[in-house]
Amino acid sequence: MTHADDAPARPERPRAFETSQAPETAGTQAPAAPPVFRAATEADVPALVALVESAYRGEHSRAGWTTEADLLEGQRTDPEGVREVVGHPDGVLLVAERDGGIVACCQLEHRGTHAYFGMFAVRPTEQGAGLGRTVLTEAERVARERWDATEMRMTVIQQRADLIAWYERRGYARTGELTPFPYGDERFGIPQRDDLVFELLVKKLG
């Protein structure tokens, strides 16, 4: 789970991004078509809310490994929250499309010399085949090339050891810097335990 905060003034956002990533599947299966990246628009808000909820909340989220169903109930986001990210100053909500449908998304915000990465979601049935890695790689490329960012930052629920390990394998380092989970604010869900905290992860962008 990632946690967004304020960002500086807004530049013109990119309208589309092409990916040069190789297909994610191998072996005897037919290779999946590479995703095409673009900036989200207001029209995408309902589909993005559904995507984020499906990746993290409820029994349907258990089809993938990113589920937070054992930690949190309630919503993960809502139309107002997604709409705010789509129109956020100095940021972009990047969507990955395949066969005309949105299969993944992530939030990028420019914050001085670094970029913030959040609202990362991959359709549960698409997880485990490399799509998440492709999205993260594209996000890092956009942050470097658009904003000359030298570092990517994100916050992850510390109790998500499997997710933190996934980011560590992709070059992110734990900092030990913690921020409290917003208990009592049901916009972020209904916690099922009383010890949730976010930890800051960082990666230098070469």
Side-chain angles (χ1 to χ4, degrees):
M1 180 173 183
T2 50
H3 179 63
D5 46 29
D6 294 332
R10 178 183 192 176
E12 180 184 356
R13 292 198 303 275
R15 295 183 59 189
F17 304 91
E18 295 294 335
T19 179
S20 59
Q21 296 300 311
E24 297 86 11
T25 55
T28 59
Q29 292 182 337
V36 175
F37 293 94
R38 63 173 176 83
T41 68
E42 179 84 11
D44 296 315
V45 169
L48 289 168
V49 172
L51 171 66
V52 173
E53 294 298 304
S54 74
Y56 292 100
R57 294 290 191 269
E59 289 302 311
H60 51 276
S61 69
R62 297 185 189 277
W65 69 274
T66 63
T67 180
E68 295 170 345
D70 292 328
L71 299 177
L72 294 149
E73 293 183 352
Q75 69 176 41
R76 181 44 149 76
T77 190
D78 54 31
E80 181 181 357
V82 174
R83 195 172 291 115
E84 181 179 352
V85 172
V86 169
H88 199 288
D90 211 3
V92 62
L93 182 51
L94 197 64
V95 299
E97 290 186 313
R98 183 180 282 154
D99 298 326
I102 296 176
V103 293
C105 69
C106 69
Q107 167 196 13
L108 286 172
E109 290 181 15
H110 182 207
R111 301 179 179 179
T113 59
H114 75 271
Y116 175 80
F117 179 84
M119 202 172 281
F120 186 27
V122 175
R123 183 185 292 174
T125 55
E126 299 276 351
Q127 293 178 20
L131 178 58
R133 181 171 62 250
T134 298
V135 174
L136 184 59
T137 298
E138 176 68 3
E140 292 170 354
R141 184 192 70 80
V142 171
R144 285 193 308 266
E145 296 184 5
R146 182 165 180 80
W147 297 315
D148 293 323
T150 59
E151 186 177 79
M152 188 80 88
R153 299 183 186 181
M154 66 178 71
T155 53
V156 180
I157 292 179
Q158 190 183 48
Q159 287 76 10
R160 290 296 315 274
D162 52 349
L163 184 57
I164 290 175
W166 187 87
Y167 283 120
E168 287 181 308
R169 291 194 296 273
R170 278 142 194 89
Y172 287 81
R174 302 181 68 165
T175 65
E177 183 177 327
L178 306 179
T179 54
F181 186 88
Y183 283 90
D185 189 341
E186 294 190 2
R187 293 178 302 169
F188 298 96
I190 303 171
Q192 300 304 291
R193 50 193 291 178
D194 61 7
D195 61 345
L196 299 181
V197 293
F198 295 108
E199 181 171 353
L200 177 68
L201 306 185
V202 301
K203 178 181 179 178
K204 296 295 183 183
L205 300 179

PDB file of all heavy atoms in Angstrom, residues 56-85:
ATOM      1  N   TYR A  56      -6.800  -5.213  -4.032  1.00  0.00           N
ATOM      2  CA  TYR A  56      -6.445  -5.127  -2.614  1.00  0.00           C
ATOM      3  C   TYR A  56      -7.547  -5.521  -1.639  1.00  0.00           C
ATOM      4  O   TYR A  56      -7.254  -5.858  -0.499  1.00  0.00           O
ATOM      5  CB  TYR A  56      -6.005  -3.697  -2.279  1.00  0.00           C
ATOM      6  CG  TYR A  56      -4.703  -3.316  -2.928  1.00  0.00           C
ATOM      7  CD1 TYR A  56      -4.685  -2.548  -4.084  1.00  0.00           C
ATOM      8  CD2 TYR A  56      -3.486  -3.732  -2.399  1.00  0.00           C
ATOM      9  CE1 TYR A  56      -3.490  -2.194  -4.694  1.00  0.00           C
ATOM     10  CE2 TYR A  56      -2.288  -3.389  -2.989  1.00  0.00           C
ATOM     11  CZ  TYR A  56      -2.292  -2.618  -4.146  1.00  0.00           C
ATOM     12  OH  TYR A  56      -1.115  -2.294  -4.744  1.00  0.00           O
ATOM     13  N   ARG A  57      -8.800  -5.441  -2.026  1.00  0.00           N
ATOM     14  CA  ARG A  57      -9.879  -5.606  -1.063  1.00  0.00           C
ATOM     15  C   ARG A  57     -10.811  -6.760  -1.425  1.00  0.00           C
ATOM     16  O   ARG A  57     -11.085  -7.015  -2.603  1.00  0.00           O
ATOM     17  CB  ARG A  57     -10.711  -4.317  -0.983  1.00  0.00           C
ATOM     18  CG  ARG A  57      -9.962  -3.135  -0.408  1.00  0.00           C
ATOM     19  CD  ARG A  57      -9.703  -3.307   1.090  1.00  0.00           C
ATOM     20  NE  ARG A  57      -9.215  -2.071   1.663  1.00  0.00           N
ATOM     21  CZ  ARG A  57      -7.921  -1.750   1.757  1.00  0.00           C
ATOM     22  NH1 ARG A  57      -7.010  -2.601   1.328  1.00  0.00           N
ATOM     23  NH2 ARG A  57      -7.552  -0.600   2.281  1.00  0.00           N
ATOM     24  N   GLY A  58     -11.322  -7.415  -0.397  1.00  0.00           N
ATOM     25  CA  GLY A  58     -12.348  -8.431  -0.580  1.00  0.00           C
ATOM     26  C   GLY A  58     -11.803  -9.766  -1.049  1.00  0.00           C
ATOM     27  O   GLY A  58     -10.635  -9.924  -1.378  1.00  0.00           O
ATOM     28  N   GLU A  59     -12.684 -10.747  -1.095  1.00  0.00           N
ATOM     29  CA  GLU A  59     -12.300 -12.100  -1.467  1.00  0.00           C
ATOM     30  C   GLU A  59     -11.776 -12.175  -2.897  1.00  0.00           C
ATOM     31  O   GLU A  59     -10.874 -12.964  -3.195  1.00  0.00           O
ATOM     32  CB  GLU A  59     -13.488 -13.055  -1.280  1.00  0.00           C
ATOM     33  CG  GLU A  59     -13.842 -13.316   0.170  1.00  0.00           C
ATOM     34  CD  GLU A  59     -12.663 -13.887   0.954  1.00  0.00           C
ATOM     35  OE1 GLU A  59     -12.041 -14.856   0.472  1.00  0.00           O
ATOM     36  OE2 GLU A  59     -12.376 -13.370   2.047  1.00  0.00           O
ATOM     37  N   HIS A  60     -12.331 -11.362  -3.812  1.00  0.00           N
ATOM     38  CA  HIS A  60     -11.881 -11.410  -5.208  1.00  0.00           C
ATOM     39  C   HIS A  60     -10.413 -11.029  -5.337  1.00  0.00           C
ATOM     40  O   HIS A  60      -9.736 -11.460  -6.259  1.00  0.00           O
ATOM     41  CB  HIS A  60     -12.746 -10.499  -6.074  1.00  0.00           C
ATOM     42  CG  HIS A  60     -12.897  -9.103  -5.546  1.00  0.00           C
ATOM     43  ND1 HIS A  60     -13.836  -8.770  -4.596  1.00  0.00           N
ATOM     44  CD2 HIS A  60     -12.218  -7.959  -5.827  1.00  0.00           C
ATOM     45  CE1 HIS A  60     -13.723  -7.475  -4.311  1.00  0.00           C
ATOM     46  NE2 HIS A  60     -12.752  -6.973  -5.041  1.00  0.00           N
ATOM     47  N   SER A  61      -9.906 -10.222  -4.389  1.00  0.00           N
ATOM     48  CA  SER A  61      -8.504  -9.808  -4.458  1.00  0.00           C
ATOM     49  C   SER A  61      -7.550 -10.966  -4.177  1.00  0.00           C
ATOM     50  O   SER A  61      -6.362 -10.896  -4.507  1.00  0.00           O
ATOM     51  CB  SER A  61      -8.230  -8.672  -3.469  1.00  0.00           C
ATOM     52  OG  SER A  61      -8.291  -9.121  -2.123  1.00  0.00           O
ATOM     53  N   ARG A  62      -8.054 -12.047  -3.580  1.00  0.00           N
ATOM     54  CA  ARG A  62      -7.205 -13.189  -3.256  1.00  0.00           C
ATOM     55  C   ARG A  62      -6.777 -13.967  -4.502  1.00  0.00           C
ATOM     56  O   ARG A  62      -5.928 -14.859  -4.415  1.00  0.00           O
ATOM     57  CB  ARG A  62      -7.912 -14.110  -2.267  1.00  0.00           C
ATOM     58  CG  ARG A  62      -8.197 -13.456  -0.921  1.00  0.00           C
ATOM     59  CD  ARG A  62      -8.797 -14.445   0.062  1.00  0.00           C
ATOM     60  NE  ARG A  62      -9.267 -13.793   1.271  1.00  0.00           N
ATOM     61  CZ  ARG A  62      -8.498 -13.479   2.313  1.00  0.00           C
ATOM     62  NH1 ARG A  62      -7.199 -13.756   2.271  1.00  0.00           N
ATOM     63  NH2 ARG A  62      -9.017 -12.900   3.385  1.00  0.00           N
ATOM     64  N   ALA A  63      -7.351 -13.616  -5.651  1.00  0.00           N
ATOM     65  CA  ALA A  63      -6.895 -14.229  -6.899  1.00  0.00           C
ATOM     66  C   ALA A  63      -5.473 -13.800  -7.232  1.00  0.00           C
ATOM     67  O   ALA A  63      -4.788 -14.458  -8.017  1.00  0.00           O
ATOM     68  CB  ALA A  63      -7.834 -13.853  -8.052  1.00  0.00           C
ATOM     69  N   GLY A  64      -5.007 -12.690  -6.649  1.00  0.00           N
ATOM     70  CA  GLY A  64      -3.638 -12.226  -6.823  1.00  0.00           C
ATOM     71  C   GLY A  64      -2.922 -12.217  -5.486  1.00  0.00           C
ATOM     72  O   GLY A  64      -3.521 -12.484  -4.439  1.00  0.00           O
ATOM     73  N   TRP A  65      -1.632 -11.899  -5.507  1.00  0.00           N
ATOM     74  CA  TRP A  65      -0.852 -11.958  -4.261  1.00  0.00           C
ATOM     75  C   TRP A  65      -0.749 -10.606  -3.557  1.00  0.00           C
ATOM     76  O   TRP A  65      -0.216 -10.535  -2.459  1.00  0.00           O
ATOM     77  CB  TRP A  65       0.539 -12.518  -4.542  1.00  0.00           C
ATOM     78  CG  TRP A  65       1.433 -11.619  -5.349  1.00  0.00           C
ATOM     79  CD1 TRP A  65       1.492 -11.536  -6.701  1.00  0.00           C
ATOM     80  CD2 TRP A  65       2.392 -10.683  -4.850  1.00  0.00           C
ATOM     81  NE1 TRP A  65       2.428 -10.588  -7.085  1.00  0.00           N
ATOM     82  CE2 TRP A  65       2.997 -10.060  -5.960  1.00  0.00           C
ATOM     83  CE3 TRP A  65       2.800 -10.316  -3.563  1.00  0.00           C
ATOM     84  CZ2 TRP A  65       3.974  -9.079  -5.830  1.00  0.00           C
ATOM     85  CZ3 TRP A  65       3.780  -9.335  -3.441  1.00  0.00           C
ATOM     86  CH2 TRP A  65       4.365  -8.739  -4.557  1.00  0.00           C
ATOM     87  N   THR A  66      -1.263  -9.528  -4.159  1.00  0.00           N
ATOM     88  CA  THR A  66      -1.150  -8.211  -3.534  1.00  0.00           C
ATOM     89  C   THR A  66      -2.281  -7.908  -2.564  1.00  0.00           C
ATOM     90  O   THR A  66      -2.328  -6.825  -1.985  1.00  0.00           O
ATOM     91  CB  THR A  66      -1.111  -7.093  -4.600  1.00  0.00           C
ATOM     92  OG1 THR A  66      -2.355  -7.093  -5.333  1.00  0.00           O
ATOM     93  CG2 THR A  66       0.055  -7.289  -5.555  1.00  0.00           C
ATOM     94  N   THR A  67      -3.189  -8.836  -2.366  1.00  0.00           N
ATOM     95  CA  THR A  67      -4.346  -8.604  -1.509  1.00  0.00           C
ATOM     96  C   THR A  67      -3.958  -8.111  -0.114  1.00  0.00           C
ATOM     97  O   THR A  67      -2.962  -8.540   0.460  1.00  0.00           O
ATOM     98  CB  THR A  67      -5.192  -9.883  -1.384  1.00  0.00           C
ATOM     99  OG1 THR A  67      -6.328  -9.621  -0.543  1.00  0.00           O
ATOM    100  CG2 THR A  67      -4.386 -11.029  -0.819  1.00  0.00           C
ATOM    101  N   GLU A  68      -4.771  -7.212   0.415  1.00  0.00           N
ATOM    102  CA  GLU A  68      -4.641  -6.752   1.797  1.00  0.00           C
ATOM    103  C   GLU A  68      -5.853  -7.191   2.623  1.00  0.00           C
ATOM    104  O   GLU A  68      -6.112  -6.651   3.696  1.00  0.00           O
ATOM    105  CB  GLU A  68      -4.519  -5.225   1.838  1.00  0.00           C
ATOM    106  CG  GLU A  68      -3.264  -4.697   1.190  1.00  0.00           C
ATOM    107  CD  GLU A  68      -3.265  -3.182   1.029  1.00  0.00           C
ATOM    108  OE1 GLU A  68      -4.333  -2.546   1.153  1.00  0.00           O
ATOM    109  OE2 GLU A  68      -2.187  -2.640   0.761  1.00  0.00           O
ATOM    110  N   ALA A  69      -6.588  -8.181   2.112  1.00  0.00           N
ATOM    111  CA  ALA A  69      -7.848  -8.580   2.729  1.00  0.00           C
ATOM    112  C   ALA A  69      -7.692  -9.030   4.178  1.00  0.00           C
ATOM    113  O   ALA A  69      -8.628  -8.907   4.969  1.00  0.00           O
ATOM    114  CB  ALA A  69      -8.506  -9.682   1.894  1.00  0.00           C
ATOM    115  N   ASP A  70      -6.531  -9.556   4.537  1.00  0.00           N
ATOM    116  CA  ASP A  70      -6.321  -9.996   5.919  1.00  0.00           C
ATOM    117  C   ASP A  70      -5.933  -8.852   6.851  1.00  0.00           C
ATOM    118  O   ASP A  70      -5.935  -9.011   8.070  1.00  0.00           O
ATOM    119  CB  ASP A  70      -5.236 -11.078   5.975  1.00  0.00           C
ATOM    120  CG  ASP A  70      -5.675 -12.369   5.310  1.00  0.00           C
ATOM    121  OD1 ASP A  70      -6.883 -12.674   5.350  1.00  0.00           O
ATOM    122  OD2 ASP A  70      -4.816 -13.068   4.743  1.00  0.00           O
ATOM    123  N   LEU A  71      -5.575  -7.717   6.274  1.00  0.00           N
ATOM    124  CA  LEU A  71      -5.158  -6.564   7.073  1.00  0.00           C
ATOM    125  C   LEU A  71      -6.220  -5.480   7.161  1.00  0.00           C
ATOM    126  O   LEU A  71      -6.333  -4.798   8.178  1.00  0.00           O
ATOM    127  CB  LEU A  71      -3.880  -5.950   6.482  1.00  0.00           C
ATOM    128  CG  LEU A  71      -2.632  -6.827   6.422  1.00  0.00           C
ATOM    129  CD1 LEU A  71      -1.503  -6.065   5.741  1.00  0.00           C
ATOM    130  CD2 LEU A  71      -2.220  -7.264   7.809  1.00  0.00           C
ATOM    131  N   LEU A  72      -6.975  -5.316   6.077  1.00  0.00           N
ATOM    132  CA  LEU A  72      -7.900  -4.190   5.987  1.00  0.00           C
ATOM    133  C   LEU A  72      -9.194  -4.605   5.304  1.00  0.00           C
ATOM    134  O   LEU A  72      -9.177  -5.344   4.309  1.00  0.00           O
ATOM    135  CB  LEU A  72      -7.273  -3.045   5.180  1.00  0.00           C
ATOM    136  CG  LEU A  72      -6.057  -2.356   5.809  1.00  0.00           C
ATOM    137  CD1 LEU A  72      -5.118  -1.848   4.732  1.00  0.00           C
ATOM    138  CD2 LEU A  72      -6.518  -1.217   6.697  1.00  0.00           C
ATOM    139  N   GLU A  73     -10.295  -4.109   5.823  1.00  0.00           N
ATOM    140  CA  GLU A  73     -11.591  -4.222   5.159  1.00  0.00           C
ATOM    141  C   GLU A  73     -11.995  -2.827   4.692  1.00  0.00           C
ATOM    142  O   GLU A  73     -11.236  -1.866   4.840  1.00  0.00           O
ATOM    143  CB  GLU A  73     -12.624  -4.820   6.108  1.00  0.00           C
ATOM    144  CG  GLU A  73     -12.334  -6.268   6.473  1.00  0.00           C
ATOM    145  CD  GLU A  73     -13.397  -6.873   7.353  1.00  0.00           C
ATOM    146  OE1 GLU A  73     -14.302  -6.127   7.816  1.00  0.00           O
ATOM    147  OE2 GLU A  73     -13.326  -8.096   7.603  1.00  0.00           O
ATOM    148  N   GLY A  74     -13.197  -2.720   4.132  1.00  0.00           N
ATOM    149  CA  GLY A  74     -13.640  -1.419   3.638  1.00  0.00           C
ATOM    150  C   GLY A  74     -12.970  -1.075   2.312  1.00  0.00           C
ATOM    151  O   GLY A  74     -12.419  -1.930   1.636  1.00  0.00           O
ATOM    152  N   GLN A  75     -13.004   0.190   1.969  1.00  0.00           N
ATOM    153  CA  GLN A  75     -12.499   0.608   0.671  1.00  0.00           C
ATOM    154  C   GLN A  75     -10.994   0.807   0.669  1.00  0.00           C
ATOM    155  O   GLN A  75     -10.372   1.044   1.707  1.00  0.00           O
ATOM    156  CB  GLN A  75     -13.181   1.905   0.232  1.00  0.00           C
ATOM    157  CG  GLN A  75     -12.795   3.130   1.040  1.00  0.00           C
ATOM    158  CD  GLN A  75     -13.425   4.405   0.491  1.00  0.00           C
ATOM    159  OE1 GLN A  75     -14.579   4.403   0.102  1.00  0.00           O
ATOM    160  NE2 GLN A  75     -12.667   5.471   0.458  1.00  0.00           N
ATOM    161  N   ARG A  76     -10.392   0.725  -0.509  1.00  0.00           N
ATOM    162  CA  ARG A  76      -8.975   1.057  -0.705  1.00  0.00           C
ATOM    163  C   ARG A  76      -8.867   2.471  -1.268  1.00  0.00           C
ATOM    164  O   ARG A  76      -7.920   3.198  -1.008  1.00  0.00           O
ATOM    165  CB  ARG A  76      -8.355   0.037  -1.658  1.00  0.00           C
ATOM    166  CG  ARG A  76      -6.857   0.151  -2.004  1.00  0.00           C
ATOM    167  CD  ARG A  76      -5.968   0.418  -0.837  1.00  0.00           C
ATOM    168  NE  ARG A  76      -4.636  -0.139  -0.938  1.00  0.00           N
ATOM    169  CZ  ARG A  76      -3.641   0.345  -1.674  1.00  0.00           C
ATOM    170  NH1 ARG A  76      -3.831   1.395  -2.448  1.00  0.00           N
ATOM    171  NH2 ARG A  76      -2.464  -0.231  -1.662  1.00  0.00           N
ATOM    172  N   THR A  77      -9.859   2.850  -2.099  1.00  0.00           N
ATOM    173  CA  THR A  77      -9.921   4.203  -2.647  1.00  0.00           C
ATOM    174  C   THR A  77     -11.361   4.471  -3.036  1.00  0.00           C
ATOM    175  O   THR A  77     -12.246   3.643  -2.807  1.00  0.00           O
ATOM    176  CB  THR A  77      -8.965   4.372  -3.844  1.00  0.00           C
ATOM    177  OG1 THR A  77      -8.874   5.757  -4.196  1.00  0.00           O
ATOM    178  CG2 THR A  77      -9.423   3.583  -5.062  1.00  0.00           C
ATOM    179  N   ASP A  78     -11.619   5.626  -3.625  1.00  0.00           N
ATOM    180  CA  ASP A  78     -12.959   5.977  -4.067  1.00  0.00           C
ATOM    181  C   ASP A  78     -12.838   6.931  -5.252  1.00  0.00           C
ATOM    182  O   ASP A  78     -11.739   7.396  -5.580  1.00  0.00           O
ATOM    183  CB  ASP A  78     -13.779   6.603  -2.935  1.00  0.00           C
ATOM    184  CG  ASP A  78     -13.095   7.788  -2.283  1.00  0.00           C
ATOM    185  OD1 ASP A  78     -12.336   8.514  -2.965  1.00  0.00           O
ATOM    186  OD2 ASP A  78     -13.308   8.009  -1.074  1.00  0.00           O
ATOM    187  N   PRO A  79     -13.940   7.216  -5.947  1.00  0.00           N
ATOM    188  CA  PRO A  79     -13.856   8.082  -7.123  1.00  0.00           C
ATOM    189  C   PRO A  79     -13.236   9.447  -6.825  1.00  0.00           C
ATOM    190  O   PRO A  79     -12.443   9.959  -7.631  1.00  0.00           O
ATOM    191  CB  PRO A  79     -15.315   8.212  -7.576  1.00  0.00           C
ATOM    192  CG  PRO A  79     -15.951   6.944  -7.118  1.00  0.00           C
ATOM    193  CD  PRO A  79     -15.300   6.629  -5.807  1.00  0.00           C
ATOM    194  N   GLU A  80     -13.560  10.026  -5.678  1.00  0.00           N
ATOM    195  CA  GLU A  80     -12.993  11.330  -5.329  1.00  0.00           C
ATOM    196  C   GLU A  80     -11.474  11.247  -5.202  1.00  0.00           C
ATOM    197  O   GLU A  80     -10.736  12.119  -5.698  1.00  0.00           O
ATOM    198  CB  GLU A  80     -13.599  11.832  -4.022  1.00  0.00           C
ATOM    199  CG  GLU A  80     -13.088  13.206  -3.599  1.00  0.00           C
ATOM    200  CD  GLU A  80     -13.684  13.670  -2.291  1.00  0.00           C
ATOM    201  OE1 GLU A  80     -14.538  12.948  -1.733  1.00  0.00           O
ATOM    202  OE2 GLU A  80     -13.297  14.757  -1.821  1.00  0.00           O
ATOM    203  N   GLY A  81     -10.984  10.188  -4.538  1.00  0.00           N
ATOM    204  CA  GLY A  81      -9.546  10.045  -4.357  1.00  0.00           C
ATOM    205  C   GLY A  81      -8.815   9.832  -5.665  1.00  0.00           C
ATOM    206  O   GLY A  81      -7.741  10.407  -5.898  1.00  0.00           O
ATOM    207  N   VAL A  82      -9.386   8.998  -6.550  1.00  0.00           N
ATOM    208  CA  VAL A  82      -8.752   8.760  -7.847  1.00  0.00           C
ATOM    209  C   VAL A  82      -8.805  10.018  -8.707  1.00  0.00           C
ATOM    210  O   VAL A  82      -7.820  10.377  -9.365  1.00  0.00           O
ATOM    211  CB  VAL A  82      -9.418   7.572  -8.561  1.00  0.00           C
ATOM    212  CG1 VAL A  82      -8.855   7.414  -9.979  1.00  0.00           C
ATOM    213  CG2 VAL A  82      -9.205   6.288  -7.770  1.00  0.00           C
ATOM    214  N   ARG A  83      -9.922  10.709  -8.670  1.00  0.00           N
ATOM    215  CA  ARG A  83     -10.054  11.949  -9.449  1.00  0.00           C
ATOM    216  C   ARG A  83      -9.021  12.980  -8.998  1.00  0.00           C
ATOM    217  O   ARG A  83      -8.441  13.700  -9.824  1.00  0.00           O
ATOM    218  CB  ARG A  83     -11.479  12.488  -9.287  1.00  0.00           C
ATOM    219  CG  ARG A  83     -11.870  13.545 -10.306  1.00  0.00           C
ATOM    220  CD  ARG A  83     -13.351  13.866 -10.195  1.00  0.00           C
ATOM    221  NE  ARG A  83     -14.168  12.749 -10.629  1.00  0.00           N
ATOM    222  CZ  ARG A  83     -14.979  12.058  -9.832  1.00  0.00           C
ATOM    223  NH1 ARG A  83     -15.069  12.357  -8.539  1.00  0.00           N
ATOM    224  NH2 ARG A  83     -15.687  11.058 -10.307  1.00  0.00           N
ATOM    225  N   GLU A  84      -8.762  13.045  -7.707  1.00  0.00           N
ATOM    226  CA  GLU A  84      -7.759  13.976  -7.189  1.00  0.00           C
ATOM    227  C   GLU A  84      -6.366  13.641  -7.723  1.00  0.00           C
ATOM    228  O   GLU A  84      -5.590  14.530  -8.080  1.00  0.00           O
ATOM    229  CB  GLU A  84      -7.756  13.929  -5.661  1.00  0.00           C
ATOM    230  CG  GLU A  84      -6.764  14.882  -5.013  1.00  0.00           C
ATOM    231  CD  GLU A  84      -6.806  14.828  -3.504  1.00  0.00           C
ATOM    232  OE1 GLU A  84      -7.708  14.161  -2.955  1.00  0.00           O
ATOM    233  OE2 GLU A  84      -5.941  15.446  -2.869  1.00  0.00           O
ATOM    234  N   VAL A  85      -6.053  12.340  -7.789  1.00  0.00           N
ATOM    235  CA  VAL A  85      -4.747  11.941  -8.317  1.00  0.00           C
ATOM    236  C   VAL A  85      -4.650  12.235  -9.804  1.00  0.00           C
ATOM    237  O   VAL A  85      -3.613  12.713 -10.290  1.00  0.00           O
ATOM    238  CB  VAL A  85      -4.492  10.443  -8.034  1.00  0.00           C
ATOM    239  CG1 VAL A  85      -3.219   9.958  -8.735  1.00  0.00           C
ATOM    240  CG2 VAL A  85      -4.393  10.195  -6.535  1.00  0.00           C
TER     241      VAL A  85
END
